[in-house]
Structure formats: structure tokens, C-alpha cells
Amino acid sequence: MAEEIRVKIKNKKGLLLVGVLHVPAGEGKRPAVITLHGFTGYKEEKNSVSLARELSERGFMVIRFDCSGSGESEGTMKDDYRMTNYISDIDSVYQFIYNHPRVDAKRIGVWGHSMGAMLAVIFGSKHPELKAICAVSPPKQMGTTDWLAQFLDDWKRTGWFTKVSTSGHGESRVPWAFMEDAAQYNTLDYAGDVRSPLMVILGLAEDTVPPEHTREIFRKADEPKELVEIPGMSHNYKKFPKYTRRVNDTVIPFFEKYLK
């Protein structure tokens, strides 16, 4: 049976990132997957946890973690919660996994949802050695989505955006500085540089990221790539076991194909 081990990884600013490492039963080096949460997300989200557990039961090492300024990781939203810092955090976690004695460094993949999917593509564009990238509902750019755009004027005026978790995770108070930093990142600027096999998944009942934005990212990417459109699935699919199951049943064979 797979183990779940709490780990702390120092990022480039000296902050400790808290994660959960899923270690499969048995011995020897294994393929690995890094999972990335979305905007105001965290490592305990049901979609990330369920995928990590299923992958580890199939022989994968998996790590899910909170980016700096979020969840249990060190730092604050005011000073550290930025996309630039998150990208740097991913690199710190990647180095941890790459050098882990149970990981085959030549078989590492990345999975992300929403903003995490966007960052999976951006990170993947800088790491052609990655063997597979899966992006679920990536936006083109933060603030261009139907959901987030409606808050931008008040956010800029007050300096803060407050989001209350519907999963009991508490309140997130994100500074306008996050959006100023995020403005420099457009997924379309990076998708064409991804050299790893890419799977893009979107729900046709999306209520946060317009499906056409996600399709644009897919069209910009090179082969090999695969687009999966799921009827009835919304952005917050983690709340619906039916769609969590459908996504996992799509993602796991993709990683098994390219990482095993």
C-alpha cells in the first residue's frame, strides 16, 4: 500500500514549502508526477488528492504541495503569493523530486488544474526533458476569464480580492500585486515551446475559464498533443465524483503511456 509522507522543501527565497509525497509500495526507482493547485487552491483539494492516491497505487511517486504564501507553506499572500514565485516554487519541488532516491529522473511529469494548469504549461516550456504534461482547464491569462474579470475594478480600487473557500479552507485575501505580477504571463506565449507530450482537458459546462481560451492553448502547442472535452463538467469538478472519476480515468492512462 502506498505511503503518504509530509515533506518540507526549501524554496529559492528560503521559505519552506509543505507538501505530501505519495510513495508507492515496493522498491526501486519509479516515475513521478508533480501536481499543481490553482488560484487560491491548496494541496488538499479533492481532485489533486484523489489523482495522487490513484497514481501512487499504480506505482507512481507523486507530490502535491502548497505554493509559498498559501496553505501550510511559509510566506504570506501579501508578500509572497505571486505567479512568479509559484513558478520558482515548482522548480524547487522539481529539483526535490528529480534528486529523490526513489524517483527515475528521466520519467517525470506535471499535472495542473486552472492556474496550476497554466503554470504546468509555462514550466513545461522551460523543461523539455519532462516526459508528459497534463493541463486541466488552463486560462490564457489571469483576469481574462469570465469569472475573475468581474472583480478586477474593485480589486484594483481596494487593493485586495477576498475569496471564501466553499470547502471549509477559510478566507484568502489576495493583494492587487498578484494581478500586477500575473499580467506578464500569457499561456499562449509558452504553449508553442512545450516539447513534452501534452494533454489538455476542458469541461463543456465551464463557468470560470472560457473553453475557447483553453482550445487556443491547445492549438498553439505542438504534437504530440491530445484534447479531451468532457460534456457537463464545470470548472469546480472536484465537487462531483462523477467528473473527478472521468478526469482521473483520462489522466492516468496518459501518464502510464508516457512515463512507464
Side-chain angles (χ1 to χ4, degrees), residues 7-10 21 61 63 90-101 103:
V7 296
K8 293 183 178 180
I9 301 165
K10 186 175 289 189
L21 182 65
M61 296 278 289
I63 188 165
I90 299 168
D91 193 58
S92 297
V93 172
Y94 175 62
Q95 294 303 320
F96 171 83
I97 280 291
Y98 186 93
N99 292 299
H100 195 282
V103 170

Side-chain angles (χ1 to χ4, degrees), residues 88-204:
S88 178
D89 291 344
I90 299 168
D91 193 58
S92 297
V93 172
Y94 175 62
Q95 294 303 320
F96 171 83
I97 280 291
Y98 186 93
N99 292 299
H100 195 282
R102 287 292 311 278
V103 170
D104 181 345
K106 295 181 179 179
R107 295 187 291 162
I108 299 176
V110 178
W111 171 96
H113 174 237
S114 193
M115 185 180 80
M118 177 182 182
L119 296 182
V121 173
I122 293 173
F123 186 76
S125 73
K126 303 173 186 297
H127 289 271
E129 74 277 10
L130 290 170
K131 294 303 181 185
I133 297 169
C134 180
V136 183
S137 298
K140 287 194 300 185
Q141 190 169 33
M142 297 299 291
T144 63
T145 68
D146 292 339
W147 175 76
L148 199 54
Q150 63 186 308
F151 302 107
L152 293 184
D153 289 343
D154 284 343
W155 191 352
K156 185 176 183 179
R157 178 178 57 81
T158 64
W160 300 95
F161 170 70
T162 301
K163 182 184 176 187
V164 179
S165 170
T166 58
S167 304
H169 198 69
E171 181 179 281
S172 298
R173 198 162 180 255
V174 187
W176 177 249
F178 170 88
M179 283 305 306
E180 291 178 323
D181 175 75
Q184 65 187 297
Y185 298 105
N186 187 312
T187 318
L188 295 177
D189 295 335
Y190 299 90
D193 293 327
V194 173
R195 295 293 173 262
S196 312
L198 174 67
M199 170 176 277
V200 176
I201 300 174
L202 64 88
L204 294 180

